[in-house]
Amino acid sequence: MNTAKKVKSALISVFHKDGLEPIIKKLNELNVTIYSTGGTENFIKSLGVEVVPVEDLTSYPSILGGRVKTLHPKVFGGILSRRDHVGDVAQLDQYEIPEIDVVIVDLYPFEDTVASGASDVDIIEKIDIGGISLIRAAAKNFKDVVCVSSMNQYDEFLNILEEGKGKITLDQRKKFAAKAFAVSSNYDTAIFKYLNEDEVAFRESFNKVSPLRYGENPHQKGYFYGDLDGLFEKLHGKELSYNNLLDVDAAVNLMNEFRGEKPTFAVMKHNNACGIAQRDTILQAYVDALAGDPVSAFGGILIANTKIDKATAKEIHKLFCEVVIAPEYDEEALEVLKGKKNRIILVQKEINMPATQYRTALNGVLYQEKDNITDDRSMLKPVTELQASEKEIEDLLFASKICKNTKSNTIVLVKDMQLCASGTGQTSRIDALKQAIEKANHFNFDLKGAVMASDAFFPFPDSVEIADQAGIKAVIQPGGSIKDQLSIDYCNAHKMSMVFTGIRHFKH
């Protein structure tokens, strides 16, 4: 059966007119009757194309300041009527309702209005009623009607019109219907999220999708939903993979802890920092970050909190790395870094990151606020007789920021604003500490005078005892164990300082 239908009539009501002109002219060339209203009607007239005002069809003007224009049986009857249904056809004849074969709608920009900081009144007025109703009606009746529901679909629709000489197949109409319901569900989700204050339901929606080469492993399909271009400007390299994106997310979250501070450089691997340092120059910060674990750095993600210059780029170029991220680069630095054709180079833009996070779990979704608390001086509660020195406090806070962004259970060892080693993702805190000490020793770090950070409390004094034996003399941890005093007593007996923050930083 030939499912292609010749387009004879179209209703057009759009907010954005960009890209609409070629469609109007093509419809006119195909002798399609065009219905429209308001600003879209005036735009079509300005092109010298004949247009039937919706008001002439409905015998009603646009009312309530434009809130009601197309909401009328003579409009929706023409869209929803089943062309092969005898009763529908008879009623169209009875009430003199013309069939409408194409609906082109571009909704009021609700999300953009919210993002602009507009008033509540202005935002509410950008909740489209007529447009969303037209989309749902046309998409429901895709057997007979094609729905173009966004300006992003203009080019595709125009190509179909041209290639089919005005005929559109059932498969094409169905695909546009699916896109239409994606647009409407995303729009409704944005409105819900703006109005909702009680978290009575979970709703998320992303219009942009990027197919990935594969998921976590080659046999898994993978996609990224979201606006990467809003966060990064990609200057060079291949496409980001699923695993790249997870590491980039971890890198961005970690480096956000050091925004506006002295030059800081981090090397990430499997969502954890394998090296990070803060120095007077970005070059030295990179060199010392790499020294933290030059083995794990191979194939890692590199991120800086300040401009990368040529000297730093030349050092980076010696290392095989997947991604380099910075707020900006010297031109000469870019020339160097682009020497590897697949190396991904990203400029990170200044935007507000989401304040919540979620992930699938069992047959549902886990949702929570992000851990947006960063330990600072005001939170430190000294609990030992010996007080941490100024230098130790700086190292403790540096270590705490790393610890917060490392997989639990974790122990982080820092000396002179440089990560010596960390124990990551261990099933016990004591194992994390032993792993960190062993790794630091392997890379020839002298832990005498180093500090230790823990993402959660010590249930027993064994951790501070092992740390003491390794040369560590200052500790930062949340506290809260019923046996805190045992760890405090050990520190007092062995001239160690310890501070509590009262904030746990689990990361699973």
Side-chain angles (χ1 to χ4, degrees), residues 332-350:
E332 292 178 325
L334 283 176
E335 290 180 15
V336 173
L337 293 174
K338 288 179 180 179
K340 299 284 179 68
K341 69 175 183 178
N342 288 328
R343 179 183 286 146
I344 301 166
I345 304 173
L346 302 176
V347 174
Q348 183 178 345
K349 302 176 183 178
E350 284 283 345

Side-chain angles (χ1 to χ4, degrees), residues 397-409:
L397 291 173
F398 186 79
S400 175
K401 292 176 181 179
I402 302 168
C403 198
K404 170 187 167 183
N405 290 275
T406 304
K407 291 289 185 180
S408 300
N409 288 310

Side-chain angles (χ1 to χ4, degrees), residues 92-358:
L92 291 189
D93 289 340
Q94 178 182 357
Y95 296 108
E96 298 181 338
I97 300 174
E99 294 178 349
I100 296 175
D101 304 320
V102 177
V103 172
I104 302 176
V105 174
D106 184 67
L107 298 170
Y108 292 161
F110 179 82
E111 290 178 277
D112 290 344
T113 306
V114 173
S116 73
S119 69
D120 186 64
V121 171
D122 289 338
I123 290 171
I124 296 302
E125 284 306 310
K126 285 298 185 287
I127 296 178
D128 204 314
I129 302 301
I132 205 76
S133 302
L134 291 170
I135 286 174
R136 291 181 63 85
K140 174 179 178 175
N141 201 27
F142 67 85
K143 185 178 178 183
D144 296 303
V145 180
V146 62
C147 179
V148 181
S149 54
S150 167
M151 65 179 297
N152 297 325
Q153 300 166 20
Y154 289 175
D155 289 344
E156 181 181 2
F157 178 65
L158 178 61
N159 290 336
I160 289 173
L161 278 180
E162 292 175 339
E163 291 173 4
K165 295 182 173 57
K167 290 184 177 181
I168 302 176
T169 68
L170 177 60
D171 284 345
Q172 290 168 337
R173 295 194 298 273
K174 188 174 182 179
K175 287 178 181 177
F176 273 100
K179 293 179 181 181
F181 282 114
V183 168
S184 67
S185 63
N186 181 77
Y187 198 77
D188 286 342
T189 296
I191 296 168
F192 166 78
K193 290 176 69 176
Y194 174 74
L195 295 174
N196 178 52
E197 296 178 352
D198 300 322
E199 300 297 344
V200 294
F202 175 79
R203 297 285 187 275
E204 282 295 343
S205 179
F206 298 96
N207 270 333
K208 291 191 175 182
V209 56
S210 302
L212 305 175
R213 296 195 299 276
Y214 50 80
E216 201 162 7
N217 299 292
H219 63 277
Q220 297 169 264
K221 289 184 179 181
Y223 302 87
F224 177 80
Y225 292 90
D227 183 14
L228 274 180
D229 293 336
L231 179 57
F232 298 112
E233 179 185 358
K234 182 182 171 187
L235 302 180
H236 182 74
K238 61 184 180 180
E239 294 303 314
L240 287 160
S241 70
Y242 182 97
N243 292 329
N244 286 157
L245 287 165
L246 289 175
D247 284 334
V248 167
D249 177 69
V252 168
N253 286 325
L254 173 61
M255 198 51 67
N256 279 345
E257 306 283 351
F258 302 97
R259 184 181 296 177
E261 295 188 12
K262 291 171 60 175
T264 307
F265 208 109
V267 182
M268 308 295 293
K269 196 68 175 286
H270 296 299
N271 302 171
N272 297 304
C274 58
I276 180 170
Q278 187 172 97
R279 295 291 183 260
D280 291 330
T281 67
I282 197 63
L283 171 60
Q284 196 59 51
Y286 169 72
V287 170
D288 290 346
L290 180 63
D293 186 347
V295 176
S296 296
F298 183 85
I301 307 294
L302 277 54
I303 186 167
N305 70 343
T306 190
K307 180 190 289 187
I308 292 179
D309 55 25
K310 181 180 180 182
T312 308
K314 290 174 71 174
E315 288 299 315
I316 293 172
H317 194 59
K318 298 174 184 178
L319 174 73
F320 169 70
C321 59
E322 292 272 353
V323 185
V324 182
I325 308 167
E328 56 182 324
Y329 302 82
D330 283 343
E331 285 298 324
E332 292 178 325
L334 283 176
E335 290 180 15
V336 173
L337 293 174
K338 288 179 180 179
K340 299 284 179 68
K341 69 175 183 178
N342 288 328
R343 179 183 286 146
I344 301 166
I345 304 173
L346 302 176
V347 174
Q348 183 178 345
K349 302 176 183 178
E350 284 283 345
I351 69 166
N352 293 323
M353 299 294 285
T356 58
Q357 57 189 177
Y358 55 90

Side-chain angles (χ1 to χ4, degrees), residues 59-80:
S59 299
Y60 265 91
S62 172
I63 63 173
L64 306 181
R67 281 189 166 198
V68 180
K69 291 180 285 190
T70 57
L71 295 169
H72 194 281
K74 281 204 169 183
V75 173
F76 282 85
I79 296 171
L80 286 166

